[in-house]
Amino acid sequence: MALLDLEGLSRRFGGVLATDGVSLQLGAGELLALIGPNGAGKSTLVNQLSGALRSDAGTIRFEGEDITALPQHARVARGIARSYQITNVFRRFTALDNVALAVQARSGSSLRFWQPVARERALFDAAADILRDVGLGARMDVPAGALAHGEQRQLEVALALATGPRLLLLDEPLAGMGPDESETMIALIAELKGKLAILLVEHDMDAVFRLADRIAVLVYGRVIARDAPAAIRANAEVRRAYLGEEAASEAAP
Ligand SMILES: Nc1ncnc2c1ncn2[C@@H]1O[C@H](COP(=O)(O)OP(=O)(O)OP(=O)(O)O)[C@@H](O)[C@H]1O
Ligand SMILES: [Mg+2]
C-alpha cells in the first residue's frame, strides 16, 4: 500500500482547471519530485495535499485513510507537514524557542503527566535534536529574525519536522537561495530522504535530478509523465513541454 495515493484530484479556479485529474502514488521514504512549467498547478496540488485548498474532485488517501475532506490540522496530526514561508515564525524568539513551541503543539496532552521542569527539558531537548538535524545546531540561540535567509529556510524545515511528519511537502525550497545556501538545503533534503516521504516541487533541475527517486511532470494540471529520473530526462514529450525550455533558458546568456 502506498503511503500517499492520489486519484483523479482536480481543482478549478474560475475557468482554469489548475489540477486536472491528478493520480499519483508516493511510497514511504520515497522522494517524488514534481516538476513542470510556471502555472502547471504544482503549488495548487501541494495546497490540496496540505489541506490549504479543498479539492473539487478526486480522492487523497494517506496510509489507506481517505483524508480528502479533512481540515489542515487533522492532516498535520496524521503526519503530513509542509514547510511554510517564514511568516509563522516568531522573529524575536530564538530558533530553539520556535522549534520547542512547535514540538509542544505536536505533543499535546502526551506530556501532561510530566512535572513542568521535566516537560520543559523534554521539549527543548527534542527541539535541539531537530535543529541539529537541519544543520542549525550552532545557531539555536539566535533570534529567528536574525538568521540568514538560507538559515531561515532551514528553520522552516525544522518547524515542519517538529510535527513528526511521515510526509513532507516542499514547494520550491531553493527559491531565492545562493549557491552555498542551495547546497546546504540539498544536503539537508538528501539527509531526510528515506527517513520520511518527500514531495519536492522545484525548478532547479540539477537539484531535482540529484535528489529524486521518481519524477512526475505536470503540464496544464495533468501528469504527462511519471518515471525514474533517467527515463524522464530521455522522455521526448517532457523535453518538449518543459525540460527543453529549461535547458534553453539555462543556455541563454
Ligand atoms: N488562488 C488562485 N486563484 C485563482 N487562480 C489561481 C489561484 N492559484 C493558482 N491559480 C491558477 O492556477 C494555475 C496553477 O497555478 P499554480 O500556482 O498551482 O502553478 P505552479 O505550477 O505552482 O506555478 P509556479 O511554477 O509558477 O509556482 C495558474 O493558472 C494560476 O494562475
Ligand atoms: Mg508554484
Side-chain angles (χ1 to χ4, degrees):
M1 182 185 70
L3 179 74
L4 179 73
D5 189 357
L6 310 183
E7 222 179 284
L9 212 59
S10 298
R11 169 71 200 210
R12 178 179 287 284
F13 294 111
V16 176
L17 208 45
T19 54
D20 184 3
V22 173
S23 297
L24 281 176
Q25 283 79 36
L26 186 50
E30 186 182 21
L31 193 148
L32 176 71
L34 182 64
I35 65 173
N38 294 115
K42 305 180 297 295
S43 296
T44 301
L45 189 69
V46 167
N47 288 328
Q48 287 174 273
L49 294 180
S50 73
L53 276 177
R54 77 178 161 70
S55 297
D56 294 320
T59 53
I60 307 170
R61 278 194 198 79
F62 187 68
E63 298 185 316
E65 181 192 9
D66 185 342
I67 61 160
T68 317
L70 289 184
Q72 199 154 2
H73 63 85
R75 299 188 196 197
V76 172
R78 279 162 179 73
I80 300 178
R82 77 170 286 178
S83 178
Y84 277 96
Q85 298 289 350
I86 207 78
T87 44
N88 56 352
V89 167
F90 298 102
R91 294 177 60 81
R92 289 165 70 179
F93 288 13
T94 66
L96 186 64
D97 293 335
N98 271 287
V99 179
L101 282 168
V103 173
Q104 183 177 44
R106 160 190 72 177
S107 310
S109 58
S110 68
L111 292 171
R112 88 195 117 124
F113 298 114
W114 297 41
Q115 295 298 317
V117 174
R119 187 186 313 161
E120 201 169 305
R121 160 77 51 90
L123 284 176
F124 280 93
D125 283 352
D129 283 345
I130 293 168
L131 282 165
R132 277 189 283 269
D133 286 346
V134 303
L136 288 177
R139 304 286 281 160
M140 292 185 202
D141 298 325
V142 177
L147 292 172
H149 174 76
E151 292 175 331
Q152 297 202 3
R153 308 301 294 268
Q154 288 166 262
L155 177 59
E156 291 163 23
V157 173
L159 292 172
L161 293 178
T163 66
R166 276 182 300 280
L167 169 62
L168 181 61
L169 307 172
L170 298 172
D171 192 355
E172 298 197 31
L174 304 178
M177 285 189 167
D180 291 350
E181 290 178 335
S182 280
E183 277 311 314
T184 303
M185 182 59 74
I186 291 168
L188 168 55
I189 296 169
E191 188 66 33
L192 294 174
K193 188 178 136 165
K195 295 180 189 154
L196 67 173
I198 299 176
L199 180 71
L200 171 69
V201 173
E202 188 47 65
H203 283 290
D204 180 334
M205 287 304 115
D206 176 49
V208 163
F209 280 95
R210 278 165 67 187
L211 289 167
D213 296 311
R214 278 190 314 139
I215 298 176
V217 185
L218 200 65
V219 177
Y220 292 120
R222 291 176 182 230
V223 177
I224 63 161
R226 85 208 78 183
D227 218 324
I232 290 292
R233 207 193 283 277
N235 183 310
E237 189 185 0
V238 172
R239 296 194 74 87
R240 211 164 29 243
Y242 184 55
L243 290 179
E245 155 200 320
E246 286 288 300
S249 68
E250 270 163 32

